[in-house]
Amino acid sequence: MTTTSTPTQKGGFRVGVQRFGTFLSGMVMPNIAAFIAWGLITALFIPTGWLPNEQIATLVNPTLFFLLPLLIANTGGRMIYDTRGGVVATIATMGVIASTMGTPVFDGGTPMFLGAMIVGPLAAWIMKQVDKLWDGKIKAGFEMLVNNFSAGILGAILAIGAFFAIGPVISTITAWLESAVDWLVAAQLLPLASIFIEPGKVLFLNNAINHGVLTPIGTAQAQDAGKSVLFLLEANPGPGLGLLLAFAFFGLGSARATAPGAIVIQFLGGIHEIYFPYILAKPILLLSVIAGGAAGIATNVAFNSGLVSPASPGSIFAILAVTEKGSYVGVILSVILAAAVSFIISAIILRATRKRDIAAGNAGDLSAAIAQTEANKGKKSSVLGNIQHDGAAAGATATDEGLVATLERKPINKIVFACDAGMGSSAMGASVLRNKIKKAGIDGVDVTNKSIANLDGSEDLVITQRELTDRAKGKTPEATHLSVDNFMNSPKYDEVVELLRAEGH
């Protein structure tokens, strides 16, 4: 029997937080290379660095105070209103930067990352609204004159307004946040952050905190102290490593078989999303990564260790590359202890539930949704259970006959894997499917990866991890959407290949 799929509205608050976090991530992630460059210059050439050099060290403050915030502002402005928005956003952000400088030279200023995240997109949005006022009303030959002067005048006004109205407020908020972090460290409560961070990672809710708070405050701390523990709250690969090791030794079925490969991707490649399906298949394992994360944070606090800049992706190589000169012992121990704690707790849970999982026929199945896992413990979910499609115009239907029957009325020429940042896990998924399509001898199908924020409606089939599907559907309601639990190992890819064969590719 065939039934038409209907749009669903679920997880409103969660989706809203994810969308906000994605927007912040979209401003910061493309510029992480600049943060790392600043961190390396700082670690090497400041007076306490590995290779002190007074001349080269003069790059540190201009990069921190000007380059990084302006890059964030420009990226945010482009996300709202393309190049024109980026230019006006950059001009306006100079206002908040200048408001904190004290003097023309660097005298006690505050890095304006939060200010750039607020003022940049806001300035671009205002420019977009102003342009609408005379859209189509400018006489031929005067377009360039109006466009240039309107952007210049508005940019100047916004920069002055940001200087007086927004800069001081952001400086105050930043000082409060720094004080709050210092208090948590002094009270030895910072490890409790894992209670929020680890579940947030699995549900893709962490970007709002990570890019909205931890990176800006951590960078400010690194300016003052040369390092910050905040850069390690999320990036520490230890909890995920311990979890995957436990599955490699004590897991069942496909979970055990895929765990060793996932370890390489997670620990060495830094793509933490690879271990999320293992937790979703058995949610109680959140306890292990929470405990592991707390152990890692506690270790760094005890050793007063930290990184000089954000480590992205969260690979052990990236972390060691930006570890502060005197923090290697603490940072390495934090990874080892986090992995050990996570491994022990995960192993206990897996061993305790092993007989029940075998008896229930749930031996290592990673394809079940967390809701289906809780509601139908021990039963495999249908591989079609996640196929959802918005918009009757696309004509997609859900059937019991498989993905081919579901999608056969919609030609598929462009397949896009989408995730938060548009790199990492989505790139791996695209590579897996691309190889399957190539081996099947299928031509004429474009398989790429991008961030959800950059979906533009040209996609025929969008593949996302389950927790991100609602947001992807909001960006491309006319596309067909396919949810998977694990980008690296999904049985649905074979159905996609069969669909393409049926279409005659």
Side-chain angles (χ1 to χ4, degrees):
M1 179 177 67
T2 302
T3 58
T4 302
S5 67
T6 57
T8 59
Q9 298 293 334
K10 57 183 180 179
F13 175 75
R14 172 174 57 81
V15 173
V17 175
Q18 287 177 339
R19 186 175 292 113
F20 177 64
T22 298
F23 186 76
L24 295 178
S25 177
M27 284 191 281
V28 176
M29 287 297 293
N31 301 306
I32 284 293
F35 279 86
I36 292 175
W38 170 78
L40 293 175
I41 292 172
T42 302
L44 290 173
F45 301 116
I46 62 174
T48 57
W50 292 95
L51 301 169
N53 186 298
E54 186 176 348
Q55 286 182 305
I56 299 178
T58 58
L59 286 169
V60 172
N61 279 339
T63 302
L64 176 65
F65 286 103
F66 290 107
L67 177 63
L68 298 181
L70 293 177
L71 282 174
I72 290 173
N74 187 269
T75 303
R78 285 174 175 267
M79 291 169 64
I80 298 296
Y81 196 32
D82 203 21
T83 303
R84 188 166 171 81
V87 171
V88 175
T90 304
I91 298 170
T93 300
M94 276 302 302
V96 292
I97 293 174
S99 71
T100 67
M101 298 310 299
T103 67
V105 294
F106 304 97
D107 181 18
T110 301
M112 272 291 106
F113 302 123
L114 289 177
M117 291 178 184
I118 295 171
V119 173
L122 178 61
W125 181 83
I126 293 174
M127 184 74 259
K128 187 174 183 179
Q129 304 311 308
V130 169
D131 279 349
K132 287 181 180 179
L133 296 177
W134 46 71
D135 185 28
K137 302 177 182 178
I138 304 173
K139 292 185 177 182
F142 288 86
E143 294 89 351
M144 183 178 294
L145 179 67
V146 173
N147 287 338
N148 285 341
F149 270 85
S150 62
I153 293 170
L154 180 63
I157 293 172
L158 293 176
I160 295 171
F163 182 95
F164 289 105
I166 298 179
V169 174
I170 297 299
S171 295
T172 301
I173 293 174
T174 301
W176 287 347
L177 292 173
E178 289 184 35
S179 297
V181 171
D182 292 339
W183 179 82
L184 289 173
V185 173
Q188 299 183 338
L189 296 176
L190 193 61
L192 296 180
S194 289
I195 296 174
F196 306 100
I197 290 176
E198 295 302 332
K201 288 172 69 174
V202 176
L203 297 175
F204 296 92
L205 299 175
N206 58 309
N207 282 326
I209 296 175
N210 188 36
H211 298 301
V213 178
L214 297 183
T215 295
I217 303 306
T219 306
Q221 286 186 338
Q223 174 204 4
D224 296 331
K227 61 188 174 186
S228 176
V229 69
L230 300 186
F231 295 136
L232 281 163
L233 297 194
E234 184 199 30
N236 190 334
L241 173 63
L243 173 82
L244 293 172
L245 282 172
F247 270 99
F249 285 101
F250 304 109
L252 297 169
S254 63
R256 181 173 185 173
T258 57
I263 289 173
V264 175
I265 294 169
Q266 188 265 346
F267 189 66
L268 303 181
I271 310 301
H272 291 201
E273 292 95 331
I274 194 69
Y275 72 81
F276 297 172
Y278 297 83
I279 295 178
L280 293 178
K282 193 179 288 292
I284 193 174
L285 288 172
L286 272 174
L287 296 177
S288 65
V289 292
I290 289 173
I297 296 172
T299 302
N300 282 310
V301 172
F303 281 82
N304 191 29
S305 52
L307 307 184
V308 298
S309 70
S312 183
S315 161
I316 187 63
F317 299 127
I319 288 172
L320 293 178
V322 293
T323 297
E324 188 264 337
K325 183 179 180 181
S327 295
Y328 279 95
V329 172
V331 169
I332 293 173
L333 273 178
S334 75
V335 175
I336 294 174
L337 292 178
V341 171
S342 178
F343 172 80
I344 292 171
I345 297 177
S346 297
I348 292 172
I349 293 173
L350 291 175
R351 292 291 295 174
T353 59
R354 184 182 184 88
K355 291 183 179 179
R356 184 176 62 190
D357 289 341
I358 293 174
N362 191 33
D365 179 21
L366 292 181
S367 64
I370 184 171
Q372 293 169 322
T373 301
E374 294 174 344
N376 306 307
K377 188 175 296 185
K379 296 181 180 179
K380 292 184 179 180
S381 64
S382 168
V383 294
L384 305 177
N386 300 315
I387 299 174
Q388 302 175 28
H389 181 245
D390 263 345
T397 59
T399 79
D400 295 329
E401 299 175 18
L403 183 62
V404 173
T406 299
L407 305 178
E408 61 185 0
R409 288 194 286 165
K410 180 175 176 59
I412 302 297
N413 297 305
K414 183 175 182 180
I415 301 174
V416 174
F417 282 73
C419 68
D420 252 340
M423 56 188 75
S425 59
S426 60
M428 293 187 299
S431 177
V432 170
L433 181 58
R434 195 180 298 116
N435 288 336
K436 285 181 175 288
I437 292 174
K438 183 178 179 180
K439 289 180 180 179
I442 295 173
D443 297 319
V445 179
D446 183 28
V447 182
T448 59
N449 58 283
K450 61 173 66 174
S451 68
I452 291 176
N454 289 332
L455 294 174
D456 55 18
S458 65
E459 304 83 9
D460 299 317
L461 174 62
V462 178
I463 303 177
T464 54
Q465 287 178 314
R466 185 186 314 278
E467 296 298 326
L468 300 177
T469 301
D470 286 341
R471 284 160 52 203
K473 288 167 64 179
K475 290 289 292 184
T476 58
E478 298 302 316
T480 298
H481 290 263
L482 175 63
S483 299
V484 298
D485 290 296
N486 188 344
F487 272 146
M488 292 298 294
N489 183 31
S490 175
K492 296 178 185 178
Y493 296 161
D494 294 327
E495 293 192 59
V496 173
V497 173
E498 291 303 316
L499 164 66
L500 297 176
R501 278 202 182 107
E503 289 185 349
H505 282 284

